[in-house]
Amino acid sequence: MDSHSQVLERLRTGFRSGITLPLEFRRTQLTKLLALVKDNEEQIVKALHQDLAKPKFESILSEVEIVTNDLHHAISNVATWIQPEYVPKNLATKLDDCFVRREPLGVVLIIGPWNYPLQLLILPLVGAIAAGNCAVIKPSEVSSATDCLVAELIPKYLSQDCYAVVRGGAEETKALLQNRFDHIFYTGSQAVARSVVQAASVHLTPVTLELGGKCPCLIYGRINIQAAAHRLVWAKYFNAGQSCVAPDYVLCTKATRDALVPALTNVLEEFYGKEPQKSPDLSRIVSARHFTRLMKLLEKTKGKVVIGGQSDEDDKYIAPTVLVDVEEDDVLMGEEIFGPILPILTVEELEKSIELVNRKEKPLALYVFSDESSVVKTTMENTSSGGFCSNDGIVHMTLPGLPFGGVGASGWGSYHGRWGFETFSHRRACMLRGWALERLNGLRYPPYSDDKLKWLRWTTSAHSTCSLM
Ligand code: NAD
């Protein structure tokens, strides 16, 4: 196997050759990536099942389709995205060509997590390719079947001069990070993000961080409790709660909680049957380490389990679980839960719930469920989060038109659709000048005078964009 530096040298040579620049090359690689996903759908579904017991339905929806849609979107739009963007001019620059030119950054590194192991590698790669970069892709070793498959397929479909997969865990990734990249795109935990940023700082490499956090779901005002329970259960227990945008905890009044818990019980039975462990539609916890972490939370919480609570270590199974009487300082309210455990906190007023949310780090997603638009508006206007969605969970991230990313501790930067292209592009400010209007330009040359200054201020001011010439 090539060493990291050999891989990087090959990709640097590829980038320097200019091969990634033409539109046709980018489109061809994106089309090949699309073929990779389409031709190997069955194998992808199988690998995801091996890693997480992910149901085929969820794999198609959240890994295959989301990637396919983003690829179609990029293939159709990249020709427009790469066009120069002309900007307004003033009188002093009236005859110049002034535009923003999107240029590739170079050789970028994409590090992925295990929970959506295909989606979270391929979606950033779409942006990187569309923007004309070369890329090293580092899948998570935890989702080993998908890791293996990605490493086998990428070289078969994409240009080996421009794209490479490097495999390994923490130690290999740390070694890889010692190399100079032109951008690092990291998806994963906040803890590891700190060491990624530290490593990047050595070379002053810009970093995009797609992290997690605790995504709240506020339920206030009049509410269709049946619909709310369906959508909440779907968003929470999809991939067994191992989604960065899964609702992490619920805030509502006591009255709403008393109506919600029986509704959640019914919906859980409707979705997964009386014995959820036998349901083919429920994923498993990815590893023994994460199983133990989640079980410790259940042991230590002072909350009361009202639904679920059962587990089976050999099967890495934790039943869809709901707890009530959870306080703000409970162990379940510390770290992101990242599993099928849903605490419900009761807070009688919406404003107090908003205060509680604002005392914590800014989340990746924030959900509010209500029939009342004033509740939705108040929540949206008085909180901050990477994304926001009313009366549903997760679905806001499926649209390529919306940027996906965090804010503050939930992440830096965004991607999906054009936003991914922008993340992997340098916006170069270009001004192409000729030699005309030298007398006008002469206003800035010494010897200075008040008169010259007066004219200069006028020709460079915003008002002078009006067509005087
Ligand atoms: P992780 O941080 O443990 O691992 C992510 C990647 O980093 C893996 O490829 C891993 O090999 C590598 N890695 C692990 N330790 C490392 C180290 N010490 N130095 C360098 N690299 C290292 O994250 P995870 O457990 O795979 O994923 C779960 C986390 O990711 C959750 O916090 C979740 O919220 C977050 N997440 C965020 C998004 C998003 O889009 N914002 C999406 C999915 C997951």
Side-chain angles (χ1 to χ4, degrees), residues 439-452:
R439 280 193 65 189
L440 190 63
N441 275 299
L443 289 173
R444 66 190 146 110
Y445 303 148
Y448 300 141
S449 72
D450 284 351
D451 226 27
K452 277 183 168 178

Side-chain angles (χ1 to χ4, degrees), residues 111-116 120 138-142 168-170 173-174 177 186-190 192-193 195-196 210-213 243-244 289-290 336 338 364 404 410 415:
I111 304 176
W114 51 260
N115 60 335
Y116 292 91
L120 298 170
K138 213 303 286 175
S140 170
E141 76 287 5
V142 178
T173 315
K174 280 188 211 166
L177 281 164
Y186 168 80
T187 305
S189 61
Q190 292 171 348
V192 172
S195 46
V196 171
E210 295 287 340
L211 311 178
S243 306
C244 52
R289 183 171 75 83
H290 281 279
E336 170 187 20
F338 221 55
L364 184 60
F404 179 69
S410 55
Y415 69 128

Side-chain angles (χ1 to χ4, degrees), residues 328-386:
E328 194 182 340
D329 60 359
D330 193 85
V331 65
L332 287 173
M333 291 302 289
E335 302 271 295
E336 170 187 20
I337 295 174
F338 221 55
I341 301 169
L342 181 68
I344 301 178
L345 284 76
T346 48
V347 179
E348 290 309 306
E349 291 157 42
L350 171 64
E351 288 68 24
K352 295 279 176 218
S353 269
I354 289 175
E355 280 170 30
L356 187 151
V357 167
N358 289 340
R359 279 195 289 277
K360 303 180 95 53
E361 298 284 13
K362 292 176 183 176
L364 184 60
L366 194 148
Y367 304 116
V368 59
F369 284 24
S370 181
D371 290 350
E372 297 173 30
S373 56
S374 63
V375 170
V376 174
K377 192 164 177 278
T378 302
T379 309
M380 187 169 65
E381 288 177 357
N382 291 285
T383 55
S384 173
S385 60

Side-chain angles (χ1 to χ4, degrees), residues 94-270:
K94 200 75 190 168
L95 297 182
D96 304 332
D97 269 348
C98 304
F99 56 92
V100 180
R101 187 179 136 87
R102 264 75 180 177
E103 296 186 348
L105 300 168
V107 179
V108 305
L109 171 63
I110 298 169
I111 304 176
W114 51 260
N115 60 335
Y116 292 91
L118 185 84
Q119 183 210 133
L120 298 170
L121 284 177
I122 304 295
L123 283 188
L125 183 60
V126 174
I129 295 175
N133 297 278
C134 291
V136 174
I137 302 140
K138 213 303 286 175
S140 170
E141 76 287 5
V142 178
S143 42
S144 55
T146 315
D147 173 6
C148 230
L149 186 62
V150 167
E152 179 199 321
L153 295 179
I154 292 277
K156 279 193 192 160
Y157 282 81
L158 300 189
S159 156
Q160 295 195 36
D161 291 334
C162 301
Y163 313 103
V165 179
V166 169
R167 301 178 63 195
E171 291 316 310
E172 290 85 352
T173 315
K174 280 188 211 166
L176 183 62
L177 281 164
Q178 285 180 3
N179 295 282
R180 178 187 287 277
F181 289 92
D182 297 297
H183 192 91
I184 298 171
F185 189 105
Y186 168 80
T187 305
S189 61
Q190 292 171 348
V192 172
R194 289 190 177 90
S195 46
V196 171
V197 171
Q198 236 169 18
S201 71
V202 173
H203 301 292
L204 287 180
T205 303
V207 179
T208 300
L209 298 177
E210 295 287 340
L211 311 178
K214 293 183 83 64
C215 303
C217 179
L218 287 73
I219 309 181
Y220 282 89
R222 282 189 324 278
I223 175 93
N224 177 343
I225 211 81
Q226 278 312 314
H230 276 100
R231 294 184 186 191
L232 181 58
V233 167
W234 180 79
K236 176 67 194 183
Y237 301 102
F238 196 94
N239 203 24
Q242 300 165 108
S243 306
C244 52
V245 284
D248 188 274
Y249 61 99
V250 168
L251 294 165
C252 63
T253 63
K254 278 199 179 72
T256 299
R257 178 201 66 189
D258 292 344
L260 184 65
V261 171
L264 293 175
T265 308
N266 291 339
V267 172
L268 279 165
E269 194 176 321
E270 188 190 319

